[in-house]
Amino acid sequence: MFDKLEALIARFEEIMNELNEPTVTENQKRFRALMKEQSDLTPIVEAYKEYKKCNETVEDSLAMLESESDEEMREMLKEELNDSRKRIEELEKELKILLLPKDPNDDKNVIVEIRAGAGGDEAALFAAEIYRMYVHYAESHRWKVELLNVDEIGIGGMKEVSFMINGQGAYSYMKYESGVHRVQRVPETESGGRIHTSTISVAVMPEVEDDVDIVIDEKDIRIDVMRASGNGGQCVNTTDSAVRLTHYPTGIVVYSQTEKSQLQNKTKAFALLRAKLYDIKMQEQHDAEAQLRRSQIGTGDRSEKIRTYNFPQGRVTDHRINLTLYKLDKVMNGDIQEIIEACVAADQAIRLSRLNQEG
């Protein structure tokens, strides 16, 4: 581990020297790559420098204890020694986590697709509530939400909704939301007061940038334009602005109608299609690495039931990590950070354990 850390320190110094060159901004692509690498390495370098400093403090305190006879001074040195040793243990754990291989998609924007599952109108209502939950969560991070497509039902529910979240590190958090979400509650339409169970599925896909090798051949695509349907403003519903793409090789159909402009809807539809094709590619890679897929929380099976929202008990349970919180109202208002951080910690613990076994 320490050889690797020393190599990273040397690399960090190389990057800083290059960034200090007056001509560095002439090649913008290279400049952005260097800035990103510097940003990624900074927390590791800072933690390792603190680790080395704490080790020096331990050595100095031990040396001074050997020659110090004043009892009060000895107590101060012992306290400093204990504090430094404790911090060294903490930093060792931090550094192991920081050195874990990073998901290359973590810094990307995400495309989220929510679909109503079992439960009819109740599932569609829950899909709309989960959509609003993610909008509030994104706003708490100052991320921007951009609606791509929505298929609404008259009572305020959504059969399906796709949207993009633009924000630094959005995928690193949102990837833990992929899977089946289950709701248990008494529907407003239920006169007997019986609790119903409904489900929705959430798919979280990283936005695909232009440098990613996803080729869409024109002959593999059918593009249909039409008048938007459902709820919308007059301009949206009176022009042929909606766009539907059909991708023949995969059978994927995407639809965008949220913009007044056909061109804007086409751009959004292609962004969604690229994300879906990239997602298939990633799933195939994970399937090829079956053990890796089983050991990761954030990239599990889309059919896996990950969370239950129980309204009568005000309870939310994440089944992957056996976490139960009794703050359903706050969660439905976007306060899901505690759940996501617990997923991150569990994921890191699994990966560290696997790394130690391999080591």
Side-chain angles (χ1 to χ4, degrees):
M1 181 173 94
F2 295 105
D3 288 344
K4 189 173 183 179
L5 285 165
E6 289 294 341
L8 290 175
I9 290 261
R11 175 60 189 151
F12 185 78
E13 287 170 359
E14 282 176 19
I15 292 165
M16 293 307 293
N17 288 336
E18 195 169 341
L19 285 170
N20 286 327
E21 292 285 334
T23 57
V24 70
T25 54
E26 287 176 8
N27 183 340
Q28 279 295 310
K29 190 176 179 182
R30 173 72 178 159
F31 177 66
R32 283 194 297 270
L34 287 168
M35 289 296 289
K36 186 181 183 309
E37 196 177 353
Q38 181 215 28
S39 174
D40 290 344
L41 287 177
T42 296
I44 301 173
V45 169
E46 287 178 352
Y48 187 43
K49 282 181 177 176
E50 188 184 349
Y51 175 85
K52 289 168 94 170
K53 194 174 179 181
C54 285
N55 268 318
E56 285 173 13
T57 303
V58 166
E59 289 172 13
D60 291 346
S61 297
L62 286 170
M64 290 170 75
L65 271 169
E66 284 183 12
S67 58
E68 185 60 60
S69 57
D70 182 77
E71 202 53 45
E72 194 175 330
M73 192 65 184
R74 284 180 66 82
E75 283 303 313
M76 282 176 63
L77 287 167
K78 283 178 186 176
E79 193 176 327
E80 191 176 58
L81 182 64
N82 288 334
D83 287 347
S84 294
R85 280 175 170 164
K86 187 180 176 184
R87 184 62 183 140
I88 283 169
E89 281 183 30
E90 291 170 356
L91 285 164
E92 278 181 355
K93 288 176 186 173
E94 278 180 37
L95 284 164
K96 282 178 182 176
I97 289 169
L98 286 167
L99 287 173
L100 284 171
K102 195 178 176 188
D103 187 331
N105 295 312
D106 272 354
D107 291 331
K108 293 184 179 178
N109 301 326
V110 294
I111 290 174
V112 184
E113 190 175 71
I114 303 171
R115 289 175 181 266
D121 287 353
E122 175 64 12
L125 287 167
F126 184 55
E129 289 173 72
I130 293 296
Y131 166 67
R132 286 190 287 274
M133 178 182 85
Y134 290 142
V135 170
H136 290 312
Y137 178 66
E139 286 170 351
S140 73
H141 282 272
R142 296 184 179 175
W143 295 337
K144 184 186 169 192
V145 177
E146 188 180 346
L147 193 62
L148 299 176
N149 182 46
V150 60
D151 183 4
E152 296 177 300
I153 63 172
I155 57 173
M158 296 174 175
K159 287 182 184 176
E160 182 184 332
V161 57
S162 303
F163 56 100
M164 183 181 283
I165 297 178
N166 295 281
Q168 182 70 26
Y171 185 76
S172 67
Y173 288 133
M174 286 298 298
K175 66 183 176 183
Y176 296 101
E177 293 301 296
S178 270
V180 174
H181 296 239
R182 181 174 71 169
V183 61
Q184 295 173 326
R185 63 182 173 190
V186 179
E188 289 180 20
T189 53
E190 172 59 56
S191 57
R194 289 174 299 179
I195 295 171
H196 283 226
T197 298
S198 305
T199 61
I200 63 159
S201 65
V202 176
V204 179
M205 301 163 280
E207 182 190 16
V208 184
E209 292 162 357
D210 293 336
D211 58 350
V212 175
D213 185 25
I214 296 291
V215 179
I216 301 174
D217 198 315
E218 281 185 27
K219 70 176 188 298
D220 290 338
I221 292 282
R222 189 178 81 210
I223 303 174
D224 297 308
V225 295
M226 62 204 72
R227 196 155 295 182
S229 60
N231 299 330
Q234 287 182 331
C235 294
V236 171
N237 289 331
T238 55
T239 59
D240 290 338
S241 58
V243 174
R244 183 177 63 209
L245 302 180
T246 305
H247 186 246
Y248 295 124
T250 59
I252 292 171
V253 178
V254 296
Y255 187 71
S256 180
Q257 63 171 24
T258 57
E259 301 294 335
K260 295 175 186 177
S261 154
Q262 187 186 114
L263 184 63
Q264 287 173 310
N265 281 322
K266 189 176 176 182
T267 301
K268 284 186 173 186
F270 267 100
L272 182 54
L273 178 60
R274 281 172 63 81
K276 281 176 174 278
L277 292 174
Y278 182 60
D279 188 53
I280 289 171
K281 192 176 177 180
M282 285 200 306
Q283 294 291 324
E284 286 170 353
Q285 286 173 354
H286 289 148
D287 288 342
E289 302 160 10
Q291 186 182 353
L292 174 66
R293 178 154 180 190
R294 278 198 301 271
S295 70
Q296 285 184 329
I297 290 171
T299 51
D301 192 333
R302 288 280 156 75
S303 62
E304 178 191 4
K305 183 184 72 183
I306 66 164
R307 198 173 299 148
T308 296
Y309 305 73
N310 185 297
F311 277 73
Q313 296 176 20
R315 163 173 64 82
V316 181
T317 300
D318 196 292
H319 305 289
R320 299 163 296 178
I321 53 175
N322 296 320
L323 173 70
T324 296
L325 301 174
Y326 288 89
K327 56 172 196 178
L328 182 60
D329 289 350
K330 287 184 177 178
V331 166
M332 296 309 295
N333 279 316
D335 186 5
I336 58 172
Q337 189 66 19
E338 186 178 347
I339 300 172
I340 288 175
E341 283 179 359
C343 288
V344 171
D347 193 25
Q348 288 172 345
I350 290 167
R351 291 165 69 202
L352 276 173
S353 172
R354 194 156 52 87
L355 209 64
N356 291 336
Q357 286 171 7
E358 289 170 1

